[in-house]
Amino acid sequence: MPTIDLAELAAAANGFVLHFLAAVALSALFGFCYLQITPYAEFKLIRAGKTAPALAFTGAVLGFALALAGAIANSVSFTDMLIWAGVAFFVQTLVFVGVRLAFADLCERIAGDEIGPAVVLAGFSLAAGVLSAACMSY
């Protein structure tokens, strides 16, 4: 029967807690900053029952979380993970800017609760997150 090394278990638990708390904080920071760069008030619109802003915002947060998970899984240190989290943050911001440039009326249509543009933005955000996560390996 294998023995359990309590020191290794404690070190692993510390690593989990550190990375998990950092991931929660980074996700909250990303969400806050993302809300600042969009010209419409997502939470106000969501509270009013609008689906499109909820879908677009959720796609961005999940896209960031996917990339962040890749960073956590493949980083060689905590600092390395933070750097890759910054890359994921930048990529998600670029996705929003790029989709907004491709669809001039994107923000107005999402604020108007049109699902189509929100699905496109969410899809590109998720795709960028998956690709970013895959690229964050050594």
Side-chain angles (χ1 to χ4, degrees), residues 30 64 84-95:
F30 170 78
F64 177 76
W84 284 114
V87 171
F89 195 109
F90 181 70
V91 167
Q92 287 299 318
T93 303
L94 279 180
V95 167

Side-chain angles (χ1 to χ4, degrees), residues 115-126:
I115 301 299
V119 169
V120 169
L121 180 57
F124 275 97
S125 297
L126 289 168

Side-chain angles (χ1 to χ4, degrees), residues 40-95:
Y40 47 90
E42 279 94 340
F43 286 161
K44 180 180 178 185
L45 294 167
I46 294 166
R47 281 188 204 104
K50 308 273 186 183
T51 303
L55 188 62
F57 180 67
T58 300
V61 171
L62 287 174
F64 177 76
L66 284 166
L68 184 56
I72 292 168
N74 294 301
S75 294
V76 295
S77 67
F78 187 74
T79 303
D80 187 42
M81 184 273 295
L82 291 175
I83 292 167
W84 284 114
V87 171
F89 195 109
F90 181 70
V91 167
Q92 287 299 318
T93 303
L94 279 180
V95 167

